[in-house]
Amino acid sequence: MLLLEVISGERLAKPERGKMRVHKISNVNKALNFIASKGVKLVSIGAEEIVDGNAKMTLGMIWTIILRFAIQDISVEETSAKEGLLLWCQRKTAPYKNVNIQNFHISWKDGLGFCALIHRHRPELIDYGKLRKDDPMTNLNTAFDVAEKYLDIPKMLDAEDIVGTARPDEKAIMTYVSSFYHAFSGAQKAETAANRICKVLAVNQENEQLMEDYEKLASDLLEWIRRTIPWLENRLPENTMQAMQQKLEDFRDYRRLHKPPKVQEKCQLEINFNTLQTKLRLSNRPAFMPSEGRMVSDINNAWGGLEGAEKGYEEWLLNEIRRLERLDHLAEKFRQKAAIHEAWTEGKEELLQKRDYETASLSEIKALLKKHEAFESDLAAHQDRVEQIAAIAQELNELDYYDSPSVNARCQRICDQWDALGAMTMKRTEALQRTEKLLETIDELYLEFAKRAAPFNNWMEGAMEDLQDTFIVHTIEEIQGLSTAHEQFKATLPEADKERLAILGIQNEIAKIVQTYHVNMAGTNPYTTINPQEINAKWDKVRQLVPQRDQALIEEHARQQNNERLRRQFATQANVIGPWIQTKMEEIGRISIEMHGTLEDQLTHLRQYEKSIINYKPKIDQLEGDHQLIQEALIFDNKHTNYTMEHIRVGWEQLLTTIARTINEIENQILTRDAKGISQDQLNEFRASFNHFDRDHSGTLGAEEFKACLISLGFDIANDAQKRTGIMDADDFKTCLISMGYNLGENEFSRIMSVVDPNRMGIVTFQAFIDFMSRETADTDTADQVMASFKVLAGDKNYILADELRRELPPDQAEYCIARMAPYTGPDGVPGALDYMSFSTALYGESDL
């Protein structure tokens, strides 16, 4: 009866004898009706069961009442009452050793959990450091006595029952623990304040890490560009073909292996910067300004310098290789002609310096004169070769051949010797002519043989020289021209053979005359050193060199056919890949304009599209391989395509960068939508209006189009608020804001411009304008809110102590605050006091941290 009076708050009637049961039932019903009016549902229990002493029903009713009035209102982070109470206990006892609260029965048997709850909120009541886990009776009695004496919590439990029971009663423990929760409920306000501070600090810490990542990535990229540009600007040529080809291979490795990752880093740097700025705007933080020299514009300028240095480097390498190839060819040709000429001049000076005519007979004098005339003819025939040698040496000098000194020295020796031979020839001619009247006419047959043999011999030497001459061609047409010239040469061989037979016929006639008339000539020709055996030997050599030349031309023709195959192979792929890249660029432009569905659907579609593009990379690599084969074959042009490997590389890099930027734009839109509470229908409305006025499908709006778009969304824009740029400059944006009802002074407008134009470009994009409008109307955390939360933790003081921060905040965030808070200088301060007010304003850029 007493319990029911307490519950109902009414004085119940005392039953009279004989009517006791009726009155008891009436009294109990009054109490039950009151309990029901408070929202407590009693199932399967009535006044009769209580009056008749049904212990099970009565205890169940009592637990229901306790659950309703002591436990039901407990909720931590929107959990159920039981889960919320358990979570509260776990959080409060987490710092204490030997305490691990997992339930409301055996986790409390050692008594340390109760002591930890008391010590956490009232550390002066219990010396927790002296408690032992192996002394549960002392722990439990200490907690129960302190709770009853100082916290007004009655002893609901008995220490002996808890220690002596394998599994203490869960409902009893839970009821007793709820008393601690209600006793310390005032501390919940501090916990809420601590949670708010932790959330704000977590945002700042994450943003600071993103800023540090940006600074490091920017520094690394700028350092790589600084190291690479001098290498690309180095145009110092090498002396050998091998060294220049190694330079070309190094450049190919740079374009294929070293530069692509840096292109990705540059793109990722821009994406990270845009994402960071979006997060800062959404969290109401000041815009991020990178350190001096590390702005996105600085990166772009440095990258432009890199591409400027890179431009023309590959072309210079190929031109240098072509020049060295030409030089090697000319040098070899010079050595061959010089060797032939030096072999011919060997012994000629000694011959010209002989004074044999002084003791010769008349016939011998005549013979020496005729012989000298033949030598002069031979000397004149060699004049062209000497001029060719000098011309080749001059060309090597003009082309800056590395071994020009030795070439010049050899050429000078040949020219000096040639001048000496000319002088000695003239001197011997004069000597012979002085004794000419002593000479008789020599046999005309010998003279005819000498005159005909010398040109023919010179022709054979020239033919052998031409047949052994190296050649360099770059097209099938050029090798076909050489083959045609060779066929024409072979057509002259029958006539040459006739001349050979005619010359040999002269020698045979001489031999016949000597034999017939017994002339004392010893079978030799006094007018020339050329003999029939030499003519036949050289003729055989010419006939031997002809098929060798045929084979060389055939092999070169096959090489040129292979080069043509490489050209067509490269062109076939390039003519497909080039238009494909252009088509994908146009498709990305259309996708960014004509996107449908939710932003998540658009993001999924774009990532699938990006994956399909990346899967195309093997075709680019295959084309790189064909391009390398072309360069290794020294192919310098390709008439079958207008696409070069450089065009394909640049297009591919732009394609990857464009799809990545498009995906990042959608990700930033998702961040904006989720943070600002913009619905999908609103975003669809913005996109539909934008696309409606984007009549040329360019992805941008002109001034009038942009004005019409804003009006369609409900904005009142002045007629002259925009110019024909598709974006607004600072003055236009200010006019637009004023037309929408903003009263802007210069300081306020400067603040808004710093938000929508963090890079200080003097322009406002459509996305920045939408971000600003959504931010102005959204409910965001403020410095005042954070300041109020710190004041709760500080117990309404104007300062806070380090111990208070460490007690209420997680360790890392507590130390974060302690390291950055300035000392409190107010008159009410104490030693170690920290200024949480200036710290709160600094978090939002309203003062310096």
PDB file of all heavy atoms in Angstrom, residues 786-803:
ATOM      1  N   VAL A 786      32.014  26.966 -30.811  1.00  0.00           N
ATOM      2  CA  VAL A 786      33.178  26.282 -30.245  1.00  0.00           C
ATOM      3  C   VAL A 786      33.602  26.939 -28.933  1.00  0.00           C
ATOM      4  O   VAL A 786      33.955  26.268 -27.952  1.00  0.00           O
ATOM      5  CB  VAL A 786      34.334  26.272 -31.266  1.00  0.00           C
ATOM      6  CG1 VAL A 786      35.588  25.658 -30.648  1.00  0.00           C
ATOM      7  CG2 VAL A 786      33.943  25.491 -32.505  1.00  0.00           C
ATOM      8  N   MET A 787      33.555  28.268 -28.905  1.00  0.00           N
ATOM      9  CA  MET A 787      33.930  29.000 -27.700  1.00  0.00           C
ATOM     10  C   MET A 787      33.007  28.627 -26.537  1.00  0.00           C
ATOM     11  O   MET A 787      33.450  28.410 -25.397  1.00  0.00           O
ATOM     12  CB  MET A 787      33.874  30.505 -27.983  1.00  0.00           C
ATOM     13  CG  MET A 787      34.712  31.353 -27.029  1.00  0.00           C
ATOM     14  SD  MET A 787      34.573  33.113 -27.451  1.00  0.00           S
ATOM     15  CE  MET A 787      35.083  33.090 -29.163  1.00  0.00           C
ATOM     16  N   ALA A 788      31.701  28.497 -26.835  1.00  0.00           N
ATOM     17  CA  ALA A 788      30.744  28.133 -25.786  1.00  0.00           C
ATOM     18  C   ALA A 788      31.015  26.729 -25.272  1.00  0.00           C
ATOM     19  O   ALA A 788      30.884  26.443 -24.079  1.00  0.00           O
ATOM     20  CB  ALA A 788      29.319  28.239 -26.324  1.00  0.00           C
ATOM     21  N   SER A 789      31.419  25.818 -26.174  1.00  0.00           N
ATOM     22  CA  SER A 789      31.722  24.448 -25.765  1.00  0.00           C
ATOM     23  C   SER A 789      32.937  24.416 -24.846  1.00  0.00           C
ATOM     24  O   SER A 789      32.956  23.688 -23.835  1.00  0.00           O
ATOM     25  CB  SER A 789      31.974  23.584 -27.017  1.00  0.00           C
ATOM     26  OG  SER A 789      30.827  23.534 -27.830  1.00  0.00           O
ATOM     27  N   PHE A 790      33.985  25.179 -25.176  1.00  0.00           N
ATOM     28  CA  PHE A 790      35.158  25.240 -24.304  1.00  0.00           C
ATOM     29  C   PHE A 790      34.782  25.801 -22.921  1.00  0.00           C
ATOM     30  O   PHE A 790      35.309  25.360 -21.879  1.00  0.00           O
ATOM     31  CB  PHE A 790      36.247  26.109 -24.930  1.00  0.00           C
ATOM     32  CG  PHE A 790      37.160  25.357 -25.866  1.00  0.00           C
ATOM     33  CD1 PHE A 790      37.231  25.686 -27.210  1.00  0.00           C
ATOM     34  CD2 PHE A 790      37.960  24.315 -25.399  1.00  0.00           C
ATOM     35  CE1 PHE A 790      38.066  24.998 -28.064  1.00  0.00           C
ATOM     36  CE2 PHE A 790      38.791  23.630 -26.252  1.00  0.00           C
ATOM     37  CZ  PHE A 790      38.851  23.959 -27.580  1.00  0.00           C
ATOM     38  N   LYS A 791      33.847  26.753 -22.899  1.00  0.00           N
ATOM     39  CA  LYS A 791      33.462  27.366 -21.631  1.00  0.00           C
ATOM     40  C   LYS A 791      32.775  26.354 -20.723  1.00  0.00           C
ATOM     41  O   LYS A 791      32.943  26.367 -19.501  1.00  0.00           O
ATOM     42  CB  LYS A 791      32.551  28.562 -21.900  1.00  0.00           C
ATOM     43  CG  LYS A 791      32.314  29.421 -20.660  1.00  0.00           C
ATOM     44  CD  LYS A 791      31.709  30.768 -21.029  1.00  0.00           C
ATOM     45  CE  LYS A 791      31.655  31.681 -19.810  1.00  0.00           C
ATOM     46  NZ  LYS A 791      31.157  33.037 -20.141  1.00  0.00           N
ATOM     47  N   VAL A 792      32.024  25.418 -21.366  1.00  0.00           N
ATOM     48  CA  VAL A 792      31.393  24.352 -20.578  1.00  0.00           C
ATOM     49  C   VAL A 792      32.456  23.479 -19.944  1.00  0.00           C
ATOM     50  O   VAL A 792      32.398  23.135 -18.756  1.00  0.00           O
ATOM     51  CB  VAL A 792      30.456  23.519 -21.477  1.00  0.00           C
ATOM     52  CG1 VAL A 792      29.984  22.268 -20.734  1.00  0.00           C
ATOM     53  CG2 VAL A 792      29.264  24.356 -21.904  1.00  0.00           C
ATOM     54  N   LEU A 793      33.480  23.086 -20.727  1.00  0.00           N
ATOM     55  CA  LEU A 793      34.542  22.241 -20.203  1.00  0.00           C
ATOM     56  C   LEU A 793      35.326  22.966 -19.102  1.00  0.00           C
ATOM     57  O   LEU A 793      35.851  22.332 -18.178  1.00  0.00           O
ATOM     58  CB  LEU A 793      35.507  21.832 -21.320  1.00  0.00           C
ATOM     59  CG  LEU A 793      34.925  21.018 -22.483  1.00  0.00           C
ATOM     60  CD1 LEU A 793      36.051  20.586 -23.429  1.00  0.00           C
ATOM     61  CD2 LEU A 793      34.177  19.798 -21.976  1.00  0.00           C
ATOM     62  N   ALA A 794      35.410  24.285 -19.203  1.00  0.00           N
ATOM     63  CA  ALA A 794      36.183  25.067 -18.238  1.00  0.00           C
ATOM     64  C   ALA A 794      35.362  25.422 -16.995  1.00  0.00           C
ATOM     65  O   ALA A 794      35.872  26.114 -16.111  1.00  0.00           O
ATOM     66  CB  ALA A 794      36.700  26.341 -18.892  1.00  0.00           C
ATOM     67  N   GLY A 795      34.110  24.958 -16.916  1.00  0.00           N
ATOM     68  CA  GLY A 795      33.279  25.295 -15.746  1.00  0.00           C
ATOM     69  C   GLY A 795      32.946  26.762 -15.691  1.00  0.00           C
ATOM     70  O   GLY A 795      33.016  27.388 -14.611  1.00  0.00           O
ATOM     71  N   ASP A 796      32.602  27.364 -16.841  1.00  0.00           N
ATOM     72  CA  ASP A 796      32.215  28.772 -16.974  1.00  0.00           C
ATOM     73  C   ASP A 796      33.358  29.750 -16.706  1.00  0.00           C
ATOM     74  O   ASP A 796      33.138  30.949 -16.560  1.00  0.00           O
ATOM     75  CB  ASP A 796      31.032  29.115 -16.037  1.00  0.00           C
ATOM     76  CG  ASP A 796      29.732  28.541 -16.566  1.00  0.00           C
ATOM     77  OD1 ASP A 796      29.648  28.346 -17.803  1.00  0.00           O
ATOM     78  OD2 ASP A 796      28.831  28.284 -15.767  1.00  0.00           O
ATOM     79  N   LYS A 797      34.584  29.264 -16.622  1.00  0.00           N
ATOM     80  CA  LYS A 797      35.728  30.184 -16.466  1.00  0.00           C
ATOM     81  C   LYS A 797      36.084  30.779 -17.839  1.00  0.00           C
ATOM     82  O   LYS A 797      35.749  30.216 -18.894  1.00  0.00           O
ATOM     83  CB  LYS A 797      36.946  29.431 -15.910  1.00  0.00           C
ATOM     84  CG  LYS A 797      36.711  28.819 -14.538  1.00  0.00           C
ATOM     85  CD  LYS A 797      38.021  28.329 -13.924  1.00  0.00           C
ATOM     86  CE  LYS A 797      38.699  27.261 -14.749  1.00  0.00           C
ATOM     87  NZ  LYS A 797      37.964  26.000 -14.793  1.00  0.00           N
ATOM     88  N   ASN A 798      36.796  31.917 -17.804  1.00  0.00           N
ATOM     89  CA  ASN A 798      37.243  32.552 -19.045  1.00  0.00           C
ATOM     90  C   ASN A 798      38.524  31.922 -19.579  1.00  0.00           C
ATOM     91  O   ASN A 798      39.065  32.369 -20.588  1.00  0.00           O
ATOM     92  CB  ASN A 798      37.462  34.052 -18.837  1.00  0.00           C
ATOM     93  CG  ASN A 798      36.157  34.781 -18.577  1.00  0.00           C
ATOM     94  OD1 ASN A 798      35.121  34.420 -19.138  1.00  0.00           O
ATOM     95  ND2 ASN A 798      36.210  35.781 -17.712  1.00  0.00           N
ATOM     96  N   TYR A 799      39.027  30.952 -18.907  1.00  0.00           N
ATOM     97  CA  TYR A 799      40.235  30.238 -19.317  1.00  0.00           C
ATOM     98  C   TYR A 799      40.027  28.759 -19.033  1.00  0.00           C
ATOM     99  O   TYR A 799      39.046  28.356 -18.383  1.00  0.00           O
ATOM    100  CB  TYR A 799      41.460  30.767 -18.563  1.00  0.00           C
ATOM    101  CG  TYR A 799      41.343  30.642 -17.054  1.00  0.00           C
ATOM    102  CD1 TYR A 799      41.710  29.455 -16.390  1.00  0.00           C
ATOM    103  CD2 TYR A 799      40.870  31.711 -16.291  1.00  0.00           C
ATOM    104  CE1 TYR A 799      41.573  29.340 -15.022  1.00  0.00           C
ATOM    105  CE2 TYR A 799      40.735  31.600 -14.919  1.00  0.00           C
ATOM    106  CZ  TYR A 799      41.090  30.412 -14.274  1.00  0.00           C
ATOM    107  OH  TYR A 799      40.971  30.275 -12.930  1.00  0.00           O
ATOM    108  N   ILE A 800      40.947  27.934 -19.527  1.00  0.00           N
ATOM    109  CA  ILE A 800      40.872  26.496 -19.301  1.00  0.00           C
ATOM    110  C   ILE A 800      42.274  25.990 -18.973  1.00  0.00           C
ATOM    111  O   ILE A 800      43.284  26.580 -19.404  1.00  0.00           O
ATOM    112  CB  ILE A 800      40.308  25.759 -20.544  1.00  0.00           C
ATOM    113  CG1 ILE A 800      39.915  24.325 -20.183  1.00  0.00           C
ATOM    114  CG2 ILE A 800      41.305  25.772 -21.699  1.00  0.00           C
ATOM    115  CD1 ILE A 800      39.064  23.661 -21.256  1.00  0.00           C
ATOM    116  N   LEU A 801      42.347  24.911 -18.187  1.00  0.00           N
ATOM    117  CA  LEU A 801      43.624  24.344 -17.776  1.00  0.00           C
ATOM    118  C   LEU A 801      43.954  23.107 -18.602  1.00  0.00           C
ATOM    119  O   LEU A 801      43.058  22.441 -19.140  1.00  0.00           O
ATOM    120  CB  LEU A 801      43.578  23.974 -16.287  1.00  0.00           C
ATOM    121  CG  LEU A 801      43.297  25.133 -15.324  1.00  0.00           C
ATOM    122  CD1 LEU A 801      43.189  24.605 -13.899  1.00  0.00           C
ATOM    123  CD2 LEU A 801      44.402  26.196 -15.413  1.00  0.00           C
ATOM    124  N   ALA A 802      45.257  22.796 -18.692  1.00  0.00           N
ATOM    125  CA  ALA A 802      45.694  21.645 -19.482  1.00  0.00           C
ATOM    126  C   ALA A 802      45.085  20.354 -18.932  1.00  0.00           C
ATOM    127  O   ALA A 802      44.682  19.463 -19.707  1.00  0.00           O
ATOM    128  CB  ALA A 802      47.222  21.562 -19.488  1.00  0.00           C
ATOM    129  N   ASP A 803      44.992  20.225 -17.618  1.00  0.00           N
ATOM    130  CA  ASP A 803      44.425  19.007 -17.038  1.00  0.00           C
ATOM    131  C   ASP A 803      42.955  18.837 -17.423  1.00  0.00           C
ATOM    132  O   ASP A 803      42.473  17.713 -17.639  1.00  0.00           O
ATOM    133  CB  ASP A 803      44.552  19.048 -15.509  1.00  0.00           C
ATOM    134  CG  ASP A 803      46.005  18.881 -15.058  1.00  0.00           C
ATOM    135  OD1 ASP A 803      46.816  18.415 -15.893  1.00  0.00           O
ATOM    136  OD2 ASP A 803      46.323  19.226 -13.902  1.00  0.00           O
TER     137      ASP A 803
END
